[in-house]
Amino acid sequence: MTILTLDTRAFIAAAPKGLRAECGGLTPAQFYDRYCEHTGHIRLSDWSLAGNGSAECVATLEFADQLRTFSTTGSPVAAMTSALYDAGYPVEILQFHQRRTEAGTATFVQCEVNGRRGWGAAMADDGAESTIRAMIACVNRIAR
């Protein structure tokens, strides 16, 4: 996994219009704390993507200090959705936006879990890691 230095203003500018409207009065730091926070019930400990054609995704997630490893064939979105569902978080992706920026790939997801909706966002070197991190940020935000 690669940790990127984040230009938060450029990151916010890459967000979809609905999210930009929702966070209009926030400072870049407040935006990051609200939508990108990587602390909460779920943490990503490790993940990998391998295979040709149909990819195998392996993610190790930490739930309340317990590590659980999930392995699924398919896209990172399908793998993370399946892993979260198996862990008791039936997540539905309502909106998905991904944009390449100078700093990396920005991903913005609006999810619903048990009737509650919210946005999550992440930036990473590649789209798969950015997607996984945005989904976890979103579920953590909803589950608070």
Side-chain angles (χ1 to χ4, degrees):
M1 286 184 276
T2 303
I3 304 300
L4 299 173
T5 303
L6 183 62
D7 176 353
T8 315
R9 291 187 195 284
F11 187 48
I12 293 170
K17 187 182 347 180
L19 178 55
R20 284 194 317 266
E22 180 180 310
C23 70
L26 300 180
T27 67
Q30 290 169 327
F31 177 90
Y32 183 83
D33 288 345
R34 181 174 294 174
Y35 299 104
C36 306
E37 186 62 45
H38 296 291
T39 60
H41 292 57
I42 306 165
R43 291 185 187 199
L44 179 65
S45 292
D46 193 23
W47 81 278
S48 64
L49 181 63
N52 298 323
S54 65
E56 179 183 12
C57 299
V58 178
T60 301
L61 302 175
E62 185 177 338
F63 299 93
D65 297 328
Q66 292 183 336
L67 292 177
R68 293 179 62 187
T69 300
F70 301 89
S71 179
T72 289
T73 301
S75 73
V77 172
M80 188 54 57
T81 301
S82 178
L84 290 169
Y85 182 85
D86 289 348
Y89 296 91
V91 63
E92 180 180 349
I93 304 291
L94 304 174
Q95 293 188 54
F96 180 92
H97 301 271
Q98 195 167 64
R99 293 187 173 86
R100 187 79 185 137
T101 70
E102 290 181 15
T105 301
T107 302
F108 307 90
V109 293
Q110 183 184 43
C111 301
E112 182 173 322
V113 178
N114 296 323
R116 297 185 66 202
R117 293 181 178 192
W119 283 95
M123 175 81 77
D125 236 0
D126 67 57
E129 182 177 347
S130 179
T131 298
I132 289 169
R133 290 187 176 281
M135 289 178 71
I136 290 171
C138 187
V139 172
N140 278 335
R141 183 165 182 257
I142 293 171
R144 283 188 206 156

